[in-house]
Amino acid sequence: MLDASSERISTVWKIGNESVSAYPMPLVMGIVNVTPDSFFDGGSHNSPADAFEFAISLLEQGASILDIGGESSRPGSTPVSLQEELDRVCPVVESLAEFARIAEISGNNPRKFYISVDTTKAKVAEECMKLGAHIVNDISACTLDKEMPAVIARTEASVVLNHMRGSFGTMQQDFEPYQNVVEEVRAELLAQAKVLTDAGVEPARICLDPGIGFGKTVQNNLDLIKSVDILAKEGYPVLIGTSRKSYFGKLEGLENSDRLVPSLTAGIVSALGGASVLRVHDVRETVEALRVLKALRS
């Protein structure tokens, strides 16, 4: 179980001009929310300057990817305008890209990292790619903005397709029950991956995310985490984002948990199943846990 490669699970993701290996240690994507209302850290670094400083701290803690988001997807959240989202995320992306360039020129090169933009808007994705981003993390799997597949193809962005039914404001209150959540999520993600490849996106740039907490019951979420290997065997790297999510508080005995230890546990189980990327709030703790896994796999 420690050796995902024996199952012929994909652990390589093409980002920029590089094929990035996520074995023996998955990549850690640190969450940088430039929002006042995100569910865990909304308002903690709500200005571009504060978000940049926070992002640098996540790099120092061991993040390989920084995921910059300017619109909350928590249940009941209010959509933001295109211009407001651009104003929130573009300065952070530009500053991080400049930070990387200066470090490389000066010879004081930091550990390699990649910039992701968490958006469902094609215009935001395109502008951020121009500024130096590498990845588009779309919680709608590129379904909310019909221009997104063309933008991904044209800019040669890498992309995370997150599974979701309905809108992110109402997804927990109004979603169609699953008969077989693992099979339905797998089929729907693969169908959307085909939409992107038909649009000209290189398959190696596509990463799949089963959308833990996105319009799913507690049991749905548990079933998906237990079945990461089924999705990972489809030939695409898999991202799991289960950090600090509210469903942990609905598990017996965890009603008053701060959700850190449950998040780390779910992350390690996902990694054992073949996840290539863990999207987390707690970067330092996740990196330490994964270094133990790396040592055991070596």
Side-chain angles (χ1 to χ4, degrees), residues 12-21 112-114 134 158 204-205:
V12 175
W13 188 14
K14 188 170 183 180
I15 307 175
N17 295 320
E18 300 176 288
S19 294
V20 183
S21 175
K112 181 72 175 180
F113 70 94
Y114 305 95
H134 308 91
S158 298
R205 295 189 181 277

Side-chain angles (χ1 to χ4, degrees), residues 63-115:
S64 299
I65 305 170
L66 299 171
D67 192 37
I68 318 301
E71 182 174 36
S72 174
S73 60
R74 67 174 177 81
S77 59
T78 302
V80 302
S81 69
L82 170 61
Q83 190 58 53
E84 186 172 3
E85 189 173 347
L86 287 168
D87 291 343
R88 288 177 178 182
V89 302
C90 286
V92 184
V93 171
E94 187 173 22
S95 295
L96 287 170
E98 183 66 11
F99 170 80
R101 283 193 293 268
I102 291 173
E104 185 173 4
I105 292 170
S106 67
N108 184 25
N109 197 15
R111 186 174 49 81
K112 181 72 175 180
F113 70 94
Y114 305 95
I115 304 169

Side-chain angles (χ1 to χ4, degrees), residues 36 44 101 123 199 202 224 260:
S44 297
R101 283 193 293 268
K123 183 64 174 176
E202 189 177 356
L224 288 167
L260 172 59

Side-chain angles (χ1 to χ4, degrees), residues 81-227:
S81 69
L82 170 61
Q83 190 58 53
E84 186 172 3
E85 189 173 347
L86 287 168
D87 291 343
R88 288 177 178 182
V89 302
C90 286
V92 184
V93 171
E94 187 173 22
S95 295
L96 287 170
E98 183 66 11
F99 170 80
R101 283 193 293 268
I102 291 173
E104 185 173 4
I105 292 170
S106 67
N108 184 25
N109 197 15
R111 186 174 49 81
K112 181 72 175 180
F113 70 94
Y114 305 95
I115 304 169
S116 169
V117 57
D118 179 358
T119 186
T120 61
K121 297 181 178 71
K123 183 64 174 176
V124 173
E126 186 164 28
E127 291 303 311
C128 287
M129 288 300 296
K130 290 177 183 177
L131 292 171
H134 308 91
I135 301 164
V136 175
N137 179 15
D138 188 329
I139 64 167
S140 77
C142 301
T143 62
L144 290 182
D145 189 330
K146 299 304 181 183
E147 297 300 316
M148 188 68 91
V151 167
I152 300 295
R154 183 166 63 251
T155 61
E156 297 186 327
S158 298
V159 61
V160 179
L161 301 180
N162 178 94
H163 183 272
M164 179 181 75
R165 287 180 177 174
S167 66
F168 54 73
T170 62
M171 59 187 169
Q172 286 301 105
Q173 291 80 35
D174 182 23
F175 66 92
E176 180 183 348
Y178 296 91
Q179 299 303 310
N180 183 327
V181 68
V182 174
E183 175 54 30
E184 290 174 56
V185 167
R186 183 193 70 83
E188 289 172 25
L189 282 176
L190 291 178
Q192 197 57 23
K194 186 176 186 306
V195 170
L196 266 72
T197 56
D198 287 348
V201 178
E202 189 177 356
R205 295 189 181 277
I206 298 173
C207 179
L208 305 181
D209 178 350
I212 305 299
F214 283 80
K216 297 171 178 80
T217 66
V218 173
Q219 190 59 51
N220 289 160
N221 293 326
L222 296 175
D223 289 343
L224 288 167
I225 291 171
K226 289 188 294 184
S227 306

